Amino acid sequence: MKITVVGAGNVGATCADVLAYREIANEVVLVDIKEGVAEGKALDIWQKAPINLYDTRTVGSTNDYSKTAGSDVVVITSGLPRKPGMTRDDLIETNAGIVKSVTDNVVKHSPEAIIIVVSNPLDVMTYQAHLSSKLPRTKVMGMAGILDTARYRAFLAEALNVSPKDIQAVLMGGHGDTMVPLPRYTTVGGIPVTELIEKDKLDAIIERTKTGGGELVKLMGTSAWYAPGSAAAQMAEAIVKDQRRVFPVCVKLEGEYGIDNCYLGVPVILGKNGIEKIIELDLNDEEKALLNTSRDHVKEVMDVLDKLNSK
Ligand SMILES: NC(=O)c1ccc[n+]([C@@H]2O[C@H](COP(=O)([O-])OP(=O)(O)OC[C@H]3O[C@@H](n4cnc5c(N)ncnc54)[C@H](O)[C@@H]3O)[C@@H](O)[C@H]2O)c1
Ligand SMILES: O=C(O)C[C@H](O)C(=O)O
């Protein structure tokens, strides 16, 4: 199996490292536009192999997509990260151009690849990759839900003083402040979370989750990479190993949840064909209203992208 990661910055290099040391693929190709950076990071990861004991080959490339040919999965992380004071949507103009050109190159050399988009604004960059690649919606998806649920699970584990391994959760909607964590679908070792934590504490955790990306941007001056890179690698693993894992993933909705032509995070089964199935939960009125608010926001940003593309 061969996986390409485009963008050898913080998220891309972390993702490539996880793919390599966990031996998720035989070959990982890292691509960047900055001369030598991808080659250097790929070499550094390869030199870690004798220490951490793995045999995944890591290859770097400065914008030479012939090295990516025949990839099974391509993770797109190229693009600007936000700085303090910015929203993810502020990145749209620059990152749309980058995602468009990268996707064109990816598809030329790996027409069968499944594409996982990470660049922000996530839902709309997934739309851009879908437009550029012309691939079916099952093969173009965005990573955000695994990261957002991981933040929610980590905060809950801390509050309850339990292992994060035992917290299961579903989160839906766009990757922004309108995301929709679902306490009704959150369990701790099988026990509904609402039986273990007071409502005000849970509400505070939900609010912290919604702004979890911004919390890190404020602390570091740029956005997060360890959890995002690992989350993208986990999606690639589910695909190349045909694991049929159930994850929240950004996908184009075509009528599911009563929503049409919008890229939103929903629970799916992820396997060798990409999105194997979209799982439709029976949401209550309050949850549906929150999801529709999230849809409205993403649709507005999709419209901005359509206008940029028609210039
Ligand atoms: N979906 C999510 O949950 C999530 C999480 C974290 C970061 N992100 C997003 O991922 C993106 C990358 O974040 P980062 O922290 O790794 O940024 P970074 O600046 O560390 O890395 C980005 C890399 O992309 C490269 N690049 C730019 N244009 C390119 C092109 N045309 N071809 C190839 N490479 C190109 C840059 O040279 C740089 O090395 C940002 O847009 C960020 O907002 C998304
Ligand atoms: O917050 C950001 O800008 C990056 C990413 O979307 C995140 O949630 O960490």
Side-chain angles (χ1 to χ4, degrees), residues 4-31:
T4 286
V5 181
V6 186
N10 286 333
V11 178
T14 305
C15 180
D17 184 36
V18 175
L19 292 169
Y21 81 70
R22 298 204 49 232
E23 297 183 319
I24 289 169
N26 313 74
E27 185 180 355
V28 175
V29 182
L30 195 52
V31 183

Side-chain angles (χ1 to χ4, degrees), residues 62-129:
T62 303
N63 237 15
D64 174 6
Y65 282 80
S66 65
K67 292 194 180 155
T68 70
S71 294
D72 299 285
V73 173
V74 176
V75 182
I76 299 180
T77 76
S78 45
L80 296 184
R82 63 177 161 149
K83 291 192 165 62
M86 293 172 79
T87 70
R88 296 177 181 92
D89 297 342
D90 293 336
L91 303 168
I92 189 169
E93 197 157 352
T94 309
N95 286 357
I98 293 173
V99 170
K100 189 175 190 308
S101 75
V102 163
T103 307
D104 290 345
N105 282 317
V106 161
V107 173
K108 206 183 294 166
H109 292 88
S110 303
E112 302 299 324
I114 290 172
I115 297 177
I116 300 170
V117 179
V118 179
S119 315
N120 269 318
L122 187 272
D123 308 282
V124 179
M125 290 306 101
T126 309
Y127 174 39
Q128 177 64 69

Side-chain angles (χ1 to χ4, degrees), residues 4-249:
T4 286
V5 181
V6 186
N10 286 333
V11 178
T14 305
C15 180
D17 184 36
V18 175
L19 292 169
Y21 81 70
R22 298 204 49 232
E23 297 183 319
I24 289 169
N26 313 74
E27 185 180 355
V28 175
V29 182
L30 195 52
V31 183
D32 204 282
I33 200 166
K34 277 190 221 145
E35 190 71 40
V37 170
E39 287 86 340
K41 292 195 180 180
L43 184 61
D44 192 15
I45 295 171
W46 176 238
Q47 290 171 355
K48 194 161 67 72
I51 303 166
N52 283 3
L53 303 180
Y54 51 83
D55 46 33
T56 301
R57 296 303 196 262
T58 51
V59 175
S61 159
T62 303
N63 237 15
D64 174 6
Y65 282 80
S66 65
K67 292 194 180 155
T68 70
S71 294
D72 299 285
V73 173
V74 176
V75 182
I76 299 180
T77 76
S78 45
L80 296 184
R82 63 177 161 149
K83 291 192 165 62
M86 293 172 79
T87 70
R88 296 177 181 92
D89 297 342
D90 293 336
L91 303 168
I92 189 169
E93 197 157 352
T94 309
N95 286 357
I98 293 173
V99 170
K100 189 175 190 308
S101 75
V102 163
T103 307
D104 290 345
N105 282 317
V106 161
V107 173
K108 206 183 294 166
H109 292 88
S110 303
E112 302 299 324
I114 290 172
I115 297 177
I116 300 170
V117 179
V118 179
S119 315
N120 269 318
L122 187 272
D123 308 282
V124 179
M125 290 306 101
T126 309
Y127 174 39
Q128 177 64 69
H130 190 220
L131 288 175
S132 303
S133 67
K134 300 182 183 65
L135 288 169
R137 68 169 176 157
T138 50
K139 297 186 77 176
V140 186
M141 63 197 79
M143 185 293 292
I146 296 182
L147 172 66
D148 294 327
T149 40
R151 287 180 176 146
Y152 177 51
R153 292 160 68 196
F155 297 150
L156 277 171
E158 201 178 7
L160 295 168
N161 195 18
V162 300
S163 167
K165 288 181 189 165
D166 289 326
I167 299 186
Q168 292 287 326
V170 185
L171 185 150
M172 292 176 54
H175 180 51
D177 300 355
T178 62
M179 69 180 76
V180 188
L182 295 170
R184 235 164 35 94
Y185 294 97
T186 305
T187 59
V188 183
I191 304 161
V193 71
T194 44
E195 293 186 20
L196 299 175
I197 192 166
E198 296 85 355
K199 187 178 178 319
D200 58 329
K201 284 194 184 144
L202 184 57
D203 288 346
I205 284 174
I206 288 173
E207 285 316 305
R208 189 175 174 196
T209 302
K210 287 183 185 173
T211 54
E215 179 180 355
L216 290 163
V217 172
K218 218 183 262 174
L219 288 167
M220 303 192 294
T222 187
S223 53
W225 58 89
Y226 293 115
S230 301
Q234 192 172 48
M235 287 175 67
E237 180 178 32
I239 295 166
V240 297
K241 295 188 181 167
D242 193 22
Q243 289 173 323
R244 299 186 67 82
R245 301 255 353 232
V246 178
F247 288 136
V249 169

